[in-house]
Amino acid sequence: MEGLSRLEYRGYDSAGFACIHPEDNRLRYVKAEGKLHNLVAQLELFPVDGFTGIGHTRWSTHGASSVRNAHPHFDCEKAISIVHNGIIENHNELKSRLLQTGHSFHSDTDTEIVAHLFESLSKTHKTFKSAVVDLVSYLQGAYAFIAIMQDQPDMMVLVRKRSPLCIGIGDDEMFVASDMLAFAGKTNKVLFLPDESFSLVRKDMIELYYFDGTSLPMQVQEVQVSWDTYEKQGHDHYMLKEIYEQKGAIHDTVDFLHTVHDRIWDNMGVTAQDIVQLNSINLLGCGTSWHAGYIAQFFFEQICMIPARLHLASEFRHMPLFAQSNSLYVAISQSGETADTLEGIRLIKSMSFATVALTNVSSSTMVRECDGFILTQAGREIAVASTKSFSTQIAALYWLANRIALEKKIITSAQMEQAEEDLLVVAEILENCIENYKMQIMQTYAKQYAQYSKMIFLGRHISYPFALEAALKLKEIAYIFATSYPAGELKHGPLALIDADMMTFVFSHPDPIVYQKIVSNVQEIKARDGKVTAFAFEDQQQLIDIVDVAFVIPRVKPLLGSLAMTGLMQFLFYAIAKELDCPIDKPRNLAKSVTVE
Ligand code: AGP
């Protein structure tokens, strides 16, 4: 259960556990809907135990989040039990065939077909090994699954294609998981299953094979990963704790980058010469990480003066990839496990371009698969809504843009030091803004904003991607609909939405020219009796005077304006979600890390 709880970041729609009872070698199992604590409660009522067991926490892909669809799944005889991550894309076709041959199904999942297919193939093959070789020839998609069988009570079958799977080698015991964090503290010896491989594992023996059945050499690594338990330290939610950790996390990130200043290109898997010749940069990510990349696009273009292209990783694989020499592909991901981003990286690597992971997790799949990496120092982020990972990504990308500019001799060492100093100043401002408005938000504003069911968020230039991030935060934790536009786009259509029930948030910009345009856009809304809340900078009096509510932020360097607003925006939306009594740390339907495409 401890191991499973560490994997709950991959999903918390349901959970289940199965093991082979040592006395009769029969499979026993318990499943529960919802979060892992429901399974723990079930296990207290109906204890099961054994020497070989598998468990799973699910993020629903096929079929509702019910007990029926919770893993593990079984074959007809309930003699084979399977847990699975990923998606079997041709499950419909396989299911029809299995139904025709008399199999009966008890869930709506794609996973269950694997158990039935394995059941029928095991009957026609002399060995498990040849049954697995045959099995994988039928399966399309990405998958990592583990099977246990009554016939072989001391063995597990592991199969991996694209989704991660690793074996922790203990003393007369083995651990298998999608992430080695699950068994951190039990063993540091790890074997990461190569792509398109399978393994037969016993407590003291591992066999490893390619999908075609030929033996694979085993590469056991010693990896130092620890698991620390993180308490809320007096905060009501992890999200609030993490909002307040941002100042320290930005400091730690800048300090860390400062210490690796001279060896950063080695860490990133490139040479100083590559950087000098760099004439474009490509950024990819999903969700909040994509928004951080969007903001960073302005850093690379304005500070290093090279074109930056931003890619939504979930779309990337379906778009034409134009080969660009002297380019760098930076994948941005808090977890380093997001399947869409990983698939993007694999595509880029297949074309022999350099890939760099910007991530918060040193033991992640992305760090292993990319040519190099940059680590943010946010510390473990538990709340599903990204907060400190977003601000540290922005800080790291701002630092990187300056570091590239230094290598290209666009800026001086003194300017590089100033950039680091500016980040530390903004980290201070980020926290001070929360403190300045905390009481008003808790006592007044949270209640007022909680009454709206829809909002429009506007920004311009760098504050537009920030508006996108703000809308994502509000939707994800408070379930309030919010849509974002570059402020100048409002008049091209969405202005029609303005009425007394619509709240518009405007995120200003320190630059005087961009600011004036924002003021004009706000006036267009006020002329139609719309309600407007602004995040404005000090001295932006015209804007402060025309809006209904203004949160005023101290002046910072224009490119760091959004970072300065980050804490206050997150705190305000946290307070709204709290007012609405939402499950803030684990919002419905979501997972901290989305490991399917
Ligand atoms: C944001 O609050 C979300 N948790 C989500 O958008 C997240 O940023 C996205 O799924 C990408 O995750 P990653 O950074 O771990 O790759």
mmCIF file of all heavy atoms in Angstrom, residues 274-310:
data_model
loop_
_atom_site.group_PDB
_atom_site.id
_atom_site.type_symbol
_atom_site.label_atom_id
_atom_site.label_comp_id
_atom_site.label_asym_id
_atom_site.label_seq_id
_atom_site.Cartn_x
_atom_site.Cartn_y
_atom_site.Cartn_z
ATOM 1 N N ASP A 274 28.045 24.292 -30.025
ATOM 2 C CA ASP A 274 26.642 24.091 -30.467
ATOM 3 C C ASP A 274 25.806 25.313 -30.089
ATOM 4 O O ASP A 274 24.950 25.769 -30.853
ATOM 5 C CB ASP A 274 26.004 22.870 -29.770
ATOM 6 C CG ASP A 274 26.623 21.551 -30.202
ATOM 7 O OD1 ASP A 274 27.170 21.497 -31.320
ATOM 8 O OD2 ASP A 274 26.553 20.587 -29.414
ATOM 9 N N ILE A 275 26.061 25.824 -28.889
ATOM 10 C CA ILE A 275 25.252 26.952 -28.391
ATOM 11 C C ILE A 275 25.566 28.224 -29.169
ATOM 12 O O ILE A 275 24.667 28.976 -29.552
ATOM 13 C CB ILE A 275 25.475 27.148 -26.869
ATOM 14 C CG1 ILE A 275 24.986 25.902 -26.110
ATOM 15 C CG2 ILE A 275 24.784 28.406 -26.346
ATOM 16 C CD1 ILE A 275 23.514 25.558 -26.250
ATOM 17 N N VAL A 276 26.846 28.421 -29.438
ATOM 18 C CA VAL A 276 27.231 29.621 -30.201
ATOM 19 C C VAL A 276 26.558 29.592 -31.582
ATOM 20 O O VAL A 276 26.089 30.599 -32.094
ATOM 21 C CB VAL A 276 28.776 29.698 -30.334
ATOM 22 C CG1 VAL A 276 29.202 30.795 -31.312
ATOM 23 C CG2 VAL A 276 29.402 29.937 -28.965
ATOM 24 N N GLN A 277 26.461 28.377 -32.129
ATOM 25 C CA GLN A 277 25.883 28.257 -33.482
ATOM 26 C C GLN A 277 24.354 28.104 -33.478
ATOM 27 O O GLN A 277 23.735 28.042 -34.536
ATOM 28 C CB GLN A 277 26.493 27.039 -34.174
ATOM 29 C CG GLN A 277 27.945 27.285 -34.551
ATOM 30 C CD GLN A 277 28.621 26.043 -35.079
ATOM 31 O OE1 GLN A 277 28.075 24.942 -35.005
ATOM 32 N NE2 GLN A 277 29.819 26.216 -35.596
ATOM 33 N N LEU A 278 23.795 28.048 -32.295
ATOM 34 C CA LEU A 278 22.349 27.811 -32.187
ATOM 35 C C LEU A 278 21.578 28.922 -32.895
ATOM 36 O O LEU A 278 21.812 30.101 -32.626
ATOM 37 C CB LEU A 278 21.997 27.824 -30.694
ATOM 38 C CG LEU A 278 20.719 27.155 -30.232
ATOM 39 C CD1 LEU A 278 20.807 25.657 -30.468
ATOM 40 C CD2 LEU A 278 20.513 27.427 -28.735
ATOM 41 N N ASN A 279 20.695 28.546 -33.826
ATOM 42 C CA ASN A 279 19.921 29.627 -34.440
ATOM 43 C C ASN A 279 18.418 29.458 -34.290
ATOM 44 O O ASN A 279 17.641 30.208 -34.854
ATOM 45 C CB ASN A 279 20.332 29.862 -35.900
ATOM 46 C CG ASN A 279 20.232 28.594 -36.718
ATOM 47 O OD1 ASN A 279 19.451 27.708 -36.345
ATOM 48 N ND2 ASN A 279 21.002 28.499 -37.784
ATOM 49 N N SER A 280 18.012 28.480 -33.495
ATOM 50 C CA SER A 280 16.594 28.409 -33.108
ATOM 51 C C SER A 280 16.473 27.478 -31.918
ATOM 52 O O SER A 280 17.373 26.676 -31.638
ATOM 53 C CB SER A 280 15.720 27.909 -34.270
ATOM 54 O OG SER A 280 15.913 26.527 -34.444
ATOM 55 N N ILE A 281 15.350 27.604 -31.237
ATOM 56 C CA ILE A 281 15.116 26.725 -30.095
ATOM 57 C C ILE A 281 13.671 26.252 -30.154
ATOM 58 O O ILE A 281 12.777 27.003 -30.562
ATOM 59 C CB ILE A 281 15.466 27.430 -28.760
ATOM 60 C CG1 ILE A 281 15.476 26.455 -27.602
ATOM 61 C CG2 ILE A 281 14.553 28.592 -28.446
ATOM 62 C CD1 ILE A 281 16.418 26.845 -26.487
ATOM 63 N N ASN A 282 13.467 24.996 -29.827
ATOM 64 C CA ASN A 282 12.120 24.423 -29.844
ATOM 65 C C ASN A 282 11.760 23.994 -28.436
ATOM 66 O O ASN A 282 12.563 23.348 -27.760
ATOM 67 C CB ASN A 282 12.086 23.195 -30.758
ATOM 68 C CG ASN A 282 12.123 23.593 -32.215
ATOM 69 O OD1 ASN A 282 11.101 23.829 -32.823
ATOM 70 N ND2 ASN A 282 13.319 23.688 -32.779
ATOM 71 N N LEU A 283 10.561 24.347 -28.022
ATOM 72 C CA LEU A 283 10.125 24.024 -26.660
ATOM 73 C C LEU A 283 8.869 23.182 -26.761
ATOM 74 O O LEU A 283 7.988 23.480 -27.572
ATOM 75 C CB LEU A 283 9.797 25.319 -25.903
ATOM 76 C CG LEU A 283 10.922 26.357 -25.864
ATOM 77 C CD1 LEU A 283 10.367 27.738 -25.555
ATOM 78 C CD2 LEU A 283 11.956 25.960 -24.820
ATOM 79 N N LEU A 284 8.801 22.119 -25.980
ATOM 80 C CA LEU A 284 7.545 21.360 -25.983
ATOM 81 C C LEU A 284 7.157 20.923 -24.582
ATOM 82 O O LEU A 284 8.008 20.724 -23.719
ATOM 83 C CB LEU A 284 7.559 20.194 -26.968
ATOM 84 C CG LEU A 284 8.306 18.908 -26.714
ATOM 85 C CD1 LEU A 284 7.663 17.810 -27.550
ATOM 86 C CD2 LEU A 284 9.741 19.056 -27.144
ATOM 87 N N GLY A 285 5.860 20.816 -24.380
ATOM 88 C CA GLY A 285 5.342 20.414 -23.072
ATOM 89 C C GLY A 285 3.828 20.353 -23.138
ATOM 90 O O GLY A 285 3.222 20.600 -24.190
ATOM 91 N N CYS A 286 3.216 20.038 -22.020
ATOM 92 C CA CYS A 286 1.759 19.972 -21.925
ATOM 93 C C CYS A 286 1.290 20.814 -20.739
ATOM 94 O O CYS A 286 2.033 20.967 -19.764
ATOM 95 C CB CYS A 286 1.295 18.542 -21.666
ATOM 96 S SG CYS A 286 1.627 17.437 -23.008
ATOM 97 N N GLY A 287 0.058 21.272 -20.808
ATOM 98 C CA GLY A 287 -0.576 21.955 -19.681
ATOM 99 C C GLY A 287 0.271 23.103 -19.167
ATOM 100 O O GLY A 287 0.759 23.945 -19.925
ATOM 101 N N THR A 288 0.463 23.107 -17.867
ATOM 102 C CA THR A 288 1.225 24.197 -17.238
ATOM 103 C C THR A 288 2.639 24.284 -17.802
ATOM 104 O O THR A 288 3.181 25.378 -17.985
ATOM 105 C CB THR A 288 1.256 23.971 -15.709
ATOM 106 O OG1 THR A 288 -0.068 24.146 -15.218
ATOM 107 C CG2 THR A 288 2.180 24.935 -15.014
ATOM 108 N N SER A 289 3.246 23.139 -18.071
ATOM 109 C CA SER A 289 4.616 23.164 -18.598
ATOM 110 C C SER A 289 4.650 23.811 -19.983
ATOM 111 O O SER A 289 5.614 24.492 -20.345
ATOM 112 C CB SER A 289 5.175 21.736 -18.669
ATOM 113 O OG SER A 289 5.314 21.228 -17.372
ATOM 114 N N TRP A 290 3.583 23.601 -20.739
ATOM 115 C CA TRP A 290 3.477 24.264 -22.048
ATOM 116 C C TRP A 290 3.357 25.776 -21.854
ATOM 117 O O TRP A 290 3.948 26.563 -22.590
ATOM 118 C CB TRP A 290 2.260 23.710 -22.801
ATOM 119 C CG TRP A 290 2.082 24.249 -24.177
ATOM 120 C CD1 TRP A 290 2.850 24.001 -25.263
ATOM 121 C CD2 TRP A 290 1.039 25.157 -24.612
ATOM 122 N NE1 TRP A 290 2.357 24.686 -26.366
ATOM 123 C CE2 TRP A 290 1.249 25.398 -25.985
ATOM 124 C CE3 TRP A 290 -0.035 25.763 -23.987
ATOM 125 C CZ2 TRP A 290 0.418 26.225 -26.735
ATOM 126 C CZ3 TRP A 290 -0.866 26.593 -24.729
ATOM 127 C CH2 TRP A 290 -0.638 26.829 -26.085
ATOM 128 N N HIS A 291 2.592 26.179 -20.843
ATOM 129 C CA HIS A 291 2.454 27.623 -20.580
ATOM 130 C C HIS A 291 3.798 28.229 -20.183
ATOM 131 O O HIS A 291 4.137 29.344 -20.583
ATOM 132 C CB HIS A 291 1.424 27.874 -19.466
ATOM 133 C CG HIS A 291 0.041 27.441 -19.851
ATOM 134 N ND1 HIS A 291 -0.885 27.004 -18.938
ATOM 135 C CD2 HIS A 291 -0.558 27.355 -21.070
ATOM 136 C CE1 HIS A 291 -1.995 26.674 -19.575
ATOM 137 N NE2 HIS A 291 -1.815 26.870 -20.866
ATOM 138 N N ALA A 292 4.578 27.481 -19.372
ATOM 139 C CA ALA A 292 5.913 27.984 -18.995
ATOM 140 C C ALA A 292 6.756 28.139 -20.261
ATOM 141 O O ALA A 292 7.484 29.125 -20.421
ATOM 142 C CB ALA A 292 6.573 27.023 -18.013
ATOM 143 N N GLY A 293 6.628 27.168 -21.178
ATOM 144 C CA GLY A 293 7.372 27.241 -22.441
ATOM 145 C C GLY A 293 6.918 28.438 -23.266
ATOM 146 O O GLY A 293 7.738 29.105 -23.917
ATOM 147 N N TYR A 294 5.615 28.707 -23.240
ATOM 148 C CA TYR A 294 5.046 29.831 -24.006
ATOM 149 C C TYR A 294 5.647 31.153 -23.496
ATOM 150 O O TYR A 294 6.048 32.028 -24.262
ATOM 151 C CB TYR A 294 3.519 29.826 -23.835
ATOM 152 C CG TYR A 294 2.722 30.481 -24.933
ATOM 153 C CD1 TYR A 294 1.422 30.050 -25.217
ATOM 154 C CD2 TYR A 294 3.237 31.543 -25.677
ATOM 155 C CE1 TYR A 294 0.659 30.642 -26.204
ATOM 156 C CE2 TYR A 294 2.482 32.142 -26.665
ATOM 157 C CZ TYR A 294 1.190 31.698 -26.924
ATOM 158 O OH TYR A 294 0.436 32.290 -27.893
ATOM 159 N N ILE A 295 5.719 31.266 -22.174
ATOM 160 C CA ILE A 295 6.315 32.474 -21.586
ATOM 161 C C ILE A 295 7.796 32.544 -21.957
ATOM 162 O O ILE A 295 8.316 33.603 -22.326
ATOM 163 C CB ILE A 295 6.091 32.467 -20.047
ATOM 164 C CG1 ILE A 295 4.602 32.732 -19.752
ATOM 165 C CG2 ILE A 295 6.992 33.486 -19.348
ATOM 166 C CD1 ILE A 295 4.185 32.592 -18.310
ATOM 167 N N ALA A 296 8.471 31.399 -21.924
ATOM 168 C CA ALA A 296 9.911 31.366 -22.209
ATOM 169 C C ALA A 296 10.225 31.686 -23.671
ATOM 170 O O ALA A 296 11.329 32.135 -23.990
ATOM 171 C CB ALA A 296 10.485 30.007 -21.840
ATOM 172 N N GLN A 297 9.254 31.460 -24.535
ATOM 173 C CA GLN A 297 9.443 31.804 -25.948
ATOM 174 C C GLN A 297 9.887 33.279 -26.065
ATOM 175 O O GLN A 297 10.780 33.610 -26.830
ATOM 176 C CB GLN A 297 8.097 31.616 -26.653
ATOM 177 C CG GLN A 297 8.194 31.304 -28.095
ATOM 178 C CD GLN A 297 6.809 31.169 -28.729
ATOM 179 O OE1 GLN A 297 5.767 31.297 -28.079
ATOM 180 N NE2 GLN A 297 6.800 30.920 -30.007
ATOM 181 N N PHE A 298 9.245 34.124 -25.244
ATOM 182 C CA PHE A 298 9.601 35.549 -25.260
ATOM 183 C C PHE A 298 11.022 35.757 -24.736
ATOM 184 O O PHE A 298 11.734 36.639 -25.184
ATOM 185 C CB PHE A 298 8.611 36.356 -24.401
ATOM 186 C CG PHE A 298 7.222 36.395 -24.988
ATOM 187 C CD1 PHE A 298 6.317 35.372 -24.733
ATOM 188 C CD2 PHE A 298 6.822 37.447 -25.799
ATOM 189 C CE1 PHE A 298 5.045 35.393 -25.273
ATOM 190 C CE2 PHE A 298 5.546 37.478 -26.344
ATOM 191 C CZ PHE A 298 4.652 36.449 -26.081
ATOM 192 N N PHE A 299 11.450 34.932 -23.764
ATOM 193 C CA PHE A 299 12.815 35.068 -23.227
ATOM 194 C C PHE A 299 13.836 34.790 -24.336
ATOM 195 O O PHE A 299 14.773 35.550 -24.532
ATOM 196 C CB PHE A 299 13.081 34.078 -22.084
ATOM 197 C CG PHE A 299 12.166 34.180 -20.886
ATOM 198 C CD1 PHE A 299 12.050 33.118 -19.995
ATOM 199 C CD2 PHE A 299 11.444 35.338 -20.638
ATOM 200 C CE1 PHE A 299 11.239 33.201 -18.884
ATOM 201 C CE2 PHE A 299 10.607 35.431 -19.518
ATOM 202 C CZ PHE A 299 10.509 34.346 -18.650
ATOM 203 N N PHE A 300 13.639 33.651 -25.007
ATOM 204 C CA PHE A 300 14.656 33.268 -26.000
ATOM 205 C C PHE A 300 14.689 34.258 -27.165
ATOM 206 O O PHE A 300 15.751 34.570 -27.681
ATOM 207 C CB PHE A 300 14.406 31.839 -26.489
ATOM 208 C CG PHE A 300 14.660 30.822 -25.406
ATOM 209 C CD1 PHE A 300 13.616 30.142 -24.795
ATOM 210 C CD2 PHE A 300 15.947 30.569 -24.961
ATOM 211 C CE1 PHE A 300 13.848 29.229 -23.774
ATOM 212 C CE2 PHE A 300 16.188 29.666 -23.933
ATOM 213 C CZ PHE A 300 15.139 28.993 -23.342
ATOM 214 N N GLU A 301 13.513 34.744 -27.547
ATOM 215 C CA GLU A 301 13.497 35.646 -28.696
ATOM 216 C C GLU A 301 14.045 37.020 -28.336
ATOM 217 O O GLU A 301 14.744 37.637 -29.120
ATOM 218 C CB GLU A 301 12.088 35.726 -29.273
ATOM 219 C CG GLU A 301 11.668 34.346 -29.793
ATOM 220 C CD GLU A 301 10.507 34.324 -30.733
ATOM 221 O OE1 GLU A 301 9.693 35.254 -30.704
ATOM 222 O OE2 GLU A 301 10.404 33.331 -31.498
ATOM 223 N N GLN A 302 13.731 37.493 -27.114
ATOM 224 C CA GLN A 302 14.165 38.844 -26.764
ATOM 225 C C GLN A 302 15.565 38.879 -26.159
ATOM 226 O O GLN A 302 16.287 39.843 -26.345
ATOM 227 C CB GLN A 302 13.151 39.501 -25.822
ATOM 228 C CG GLN A 302 11.911 39.905 -26.607
ATOM 229 C CD GLN A 302 10.886 40.676 -25.794
ATOM 230 O OE1 GLN A 302 9.710 40.431 -25.905
ATOM 231 N NE2 GLN A 302 11.331 41.584 -24.961
ATOM 232 N N ILE A 303 15.922 37.842 -25.412
ATOM 233 C CA ILE A 303 17.234 37.886 -24.738
ATOM 234 C C ILE A 303 18.335 37.289 -25.625
ATOM 235 O O ILE A 303 19.415 37.843 -25.751
ATOM 236 C CB ILE A 303 17.181 37.150 -23.375
ATOM 237 C CG1 ILE A 303 16.145 37.823 -22.462
ATOM 238 C CG2 ILE A 303 18.559 37.154 -22.699
ATOM 239 C CD1 ILE A 303 15.826 37.057 -21.197
ATOM 240 N N CYS A 304 18.046 36.135 -26.253
ATOM 241 C CA CYS A 304 19.091 35.502 -27.093
ATOM 242 C C CYS A 304 18.939 35.883 -28.559
ATOM 243 O O CYS A 304 19.775 35.500 -29.374
ATOM 244 C CB CYS A 304 19.030 33.980 -27.053
ATOM 245 S SG CYS A 304 18.652 33.232 -25.536
ATOM 246 N N MET A 305 17.836 36.517 -28.870
ATOM 247 C CA MET A 305 17.562 36.943 -30.239
ATOM 248 C C MET A 305 17.607 35.787 -31.247
ATOM 249 O O MET A 305 18.184 35.874 -32.330
ATOM 250 C CB MET A 305 18.495 38.072 -30.632
ATOM 251 C CG MET A 305 18.178 39.303 -29.801
ATOM 252 S SD MET A 305 18.983 40.779 -30.290
ATOM 253 C CE MET A 305 20.552 40.647 -29.537
ATOM 254 N N ILE A 306 17.051 34.657 -30.822
ATOM 255 C CA ILE A 306 16.891 33.538 -31.764
ATOM 256 C C ILE A 306 15.411 33.150 -31.784
ATOM 257 O O ILE A 306 14.732 33.234 -30.757
ATOM 258 C CB ILE A 306 17.764 32.302 -31.393
ATOM 259 C CG1 ILE A 306 17.547 31.876 -29.936
ATOM 260 C CG2 ILE A 306 19.212 32.514 -31.721
ATOM 261 C CD1 ILE A 306 18.234 30.581 -29.576
ATOM 262 N N PRO A 307 14.902 32.736 -32.942
ATOM 263 C CA PRO A 307 13.495 32.342 -32.987
ATOM 264 C C PRO A 307 13.230 31.123 -32.109
ATOM 265 O O PRO A 307 14.029 30.189 -32.078
ATOM 266 C CB PRO A 307 13.247 32.013 -34.457
ATOM 267 C CG PRO A 307 14.507 32.221 -35.170
ATOM 268 C CD PRO A 307 15.583 32.614 -34.211
ATOM 269 N N ALA A 308 12.140 31.180 -31.365
ATOM 270 C CA ALA A 308 11.762 30.041 -30.523
ATOM 271 C C ALA A 308 10.412 29.529 -30.994
ATOM 272 O O ALA A 308 9.491 30.316 -31.239
ATOM 273 C CB ALA A 308 11.684 30.479 -29.072
ATOM 274 N N ARG A 309 10.319 28.228 -31.161
ATOM 275 C CA ARG A 309 9.028 27.620 -31.557
ATOM 276 C C ARG A 309 8.500 26.817 -30.388
ATOM 277 O O ARG A 309 9.242 26.073 -29.747
ATOM 278 C CB ARG A 309 9.205 26.700 -32.757
ATOM 279 C CG ARG A 309 9.176 27.440 -34.067
ATOM 280 C CD ARG A 309 9.069 26.467 -35.210
ATOM 281 N NE ARG A 309 7.712 25.952 -35.376
ATOM 282 C CZ ARG A 309 7.408 24.903 -36.130
ATOM 283 N NH1 ARG A 309 8.355 24.260 -36.771
ATOM 284 N NH2 ARG A 309 6.166 24.495 -36.250
ATOM 285 N N LEU A 310 7.210 26.980 -30.154
ATOM 286 C CA LEU A 310 6.588 26.277 -29.038
ATOM 287 C C LEU A 310 5.708 25.162 -29.597
ATOM 288 O O LEU A 310 4.967 25.377 -30.555
ATOM 289 C CB LEU A 310 5.727 27.270 -28.250
ATOM 290 C CG LEU A 310 4.936 26.709 -27.092
ATOM 291 C CD1 LEU A 310 5.857 26.387 -25.917
ATOM 292 C CD2 LEU A 310 3.872 27.711 -26.644
#
